Amino acid sequence: MRVAIYARHSTALQNSSSSDDQASSLPPLIDRLGGKVVGVYADPEISGYSRDRPELNRMLRDVRNGRIDIVVSESMDRVARDGEDIQWLGKMLRYSRVRLHTASEGEIDEIKLGVAGMLGGIYLANLQKKTIRGLEAVVAAGRSPGGRAYGYDKVVKHDAAGEPIRGLLSIDENKAETVRWICEQFASGRSSIAIAKDLNKRGVPGPRGGKWNASTIRGDPAKQVGILSNPLYRGRLVWKRREWRKNPESDRRERRYRLRDAADWMTVDVPELRIIDDALAERLDAEFARRARPGAEVPPEARNRKRHLLSGLIKCGECGSNYTISGKDYYRCAGVKERGTCSNTVSVRQAPLEAKVLEVLRSELLTPALIQVFVREFEREVTRLSRDREDRRPQLQTRLKAVEAEIGNLAANMLEGVVGPTLRAMLAAREQERATLLAQIAEQPTSTDAVVLTHPTIRRRFEEKVANLQASLDDPAIRAEAAEQIAALIESVTVHPDGQQSYIEVEATTSKLIDFATNENNPRRGSGRGCSIAVVAGTGFEPVTFRL
């Protein structure tokens, strides 16, 4: 039997040889299994809460390629901690007929997977509470809970037991002087853009060692971020304003900038870390108030909408920075506008640029040759999906029979009077899996036939929809939705300087264009709804470009 060893430990605070020690403890288990080690996969200093682990993914590739018969590890929590990840991993191994053994739990079957998922969820919930409680104690002691603030150095000290005291900071006087200079300049009426350009011209390194941005200086007073709004410079340590959350789709933590209620914030005075005095702080607050733009509150549903058709899509061909709106109706390179670090001074009028991009979408990026690429790739993808779906239904039904048998056995034990928390949790896990399997079976299509429209039909529908969207831009009621749909078709719009003029390069993905043409959800004037966009084919589509 071909055996793969998997090892993992979470952080650099643990023994650096922890993963190696786990692997070296497994030979007795491997000998009992009568196997031969064909690979060792170790993910040191990576959380078991993450599915995106390099060596775990490499091991799963080898599993899919038929190179492994058994996976062994020290315990299940080395392999995964999140309940959903544990079930996902179990399904991956079962599909490839690969067994999973651990030194702690023995062979891992479906019931042990369910229990491990439940225990992993409890562990992670408790760990989160303990971590927050520990950070609260750090903040209450006047120490930083994490992160790096410009103008401060990390202080290395140890307690009586020799353990490092974390979160200690001291003022870096050179950087503190830069902070005071920035605040003085802003309080005197200079813009954050002018301040950033001045710092870059003088060669002062930014907070991360690179160039200064106006946004780094300006920040946001409401969120208390940025050089001008950081409360630490005023001698106040504020924590729990925001939070990290894990996106279940990308398996990454994403910062949510929705502020918590002010009552949930934790504020501690740290006068020894103060950089600006009360007089300068008052001048800053007065200047922010003077520059504030009074206006109606933006409704929640409109806060994250694009304000301009091509926002975030226009790039500078010289330095790669975004082109941002400047003045009333011009786009300019942010490297020039906010940092003064780019030589591309070409400005582009908003209306002509948007019109040109729409013209490119309508007439240049949906040619017969590109449609033929789509049809070929679409048919290939339909064939692959049909093959996968043919295999999927029997697999789901086989698993459903096994789960129903397990539910029957557990229910029989409960009728005999063998009732306990673990048994109840196992039964609940099997009931949940049964419901999931039934839903997945119901979702399986009964037919995989696909209708591919003819080339003239696709082109005609696309031109009609683009014309409809362009007309929708003139209706304020649905302009935001129409703009989002048009922008969804575009990968990028690059402005290349050419003397006093410029040429524009538009890049789009063929699958998005043709899915837009074949989707039946046309935007209707006054409906407040736009057409939906979904990539219907696989990864065979490369972006296509057109220059004008």
Side-chain angles (χ1 to χ4, degrees), residues 220-236:
D220 188 333
K223 299 171 184 175
Q224 297 192 7
V225 295
I227 297 293
L228 297 172
S229 302
N230 190 339
L232 194 56
Y233 298 145
R234 305 183 183 209
R236 296 197 312 274

Side-chain angles (χ1 to χ4, degrees), residues 3-18:
V3 176
I5 295 175
Y6 182 78
R8 179 197 62 80
H9 66 272
S10 297
T11 71
L13 300 179
Q14 295 175 259
N15 189 332
S16 60
S17 62
S18 177

Side-chain angles (χ1 to χ4, degrees), residues 318-350:
E318 190 75 14
C319 70
S321 299
N322 284 338
Y323 255 59
T324 58
I325 203 71
S326 178
K328 184 179 179 180
D329 59 353
Y330 275 90
Y331 285 106
R332 292 181 63 197
C333 172
V336 175
K337 176 185 173 185
E338 296 195 1
R339 297 186 292 275
T341 57
C342 181
S343 60
N344 180 10
T345 59
V346 173
S347 298
V348 183
R349 287 284 298 274
Q350 179 181 359

Side-chain angles (χ1 to χ4, degrees), residues 85-120:
D85 291 349
I86 290 172
Q87 294 297 328
W88 166 78
L89 182 64
K91 292 177 182 179
M92 294 284 289
L93 296 180
R94 284 197 302 270
Y95 181 77
S96 299
R97 300 183 184 277
V98 173
R99 293 153 56 195
L100 175 61
H101 285 257
T102 70
S104 299
E105 297 95 351
E107 183 170 6
I108 305 300
D109 56 17
E110 287 81 0
I111 294 177
K112 288 182 180 178
L113 279 175
V115 174
M118 177 184 66
L119 296 177

Side-chain angles (χ1 to χ4, degrees), residues 366 371 453-462 514 517-518:
L366 202 70
I371 295 175
L453 301 179
T454 61
H455 300 189
T457 302
I458 291 176
R459 187 180 183 92
R460 176 180 55 78
R461 284 192 178 183
F462 185 88
I514 302 196
T518 57

Side-chain angles (χ1 to χ4, degrees), residues 73 210 273 346:
S73 188
L273 297 179
V346 173

Side-chain angles (χ1 to χ4, degrees), residues 178 181 195 197-204:
T178 300
W181 181 85
I195 296 171
K197 288 182 178 180
D198 200 344
L199 290 168
N200 290 328
K201 185 177 180 180
R202 290 161 46 193
V204 178

Side-chain angles (χ1 to χ4, degrees), residues 419-439:
V419 181
T422 301
L423 192 62
R424 293 180 185 275
M426 292 166 59
L427 181 60
R430 296 285 78 79
E431 291 283 2
Q432 178 62 42
E433 184 177 1
R434 179 179 180 276
T436 301
L437 289 168
L438 289 172

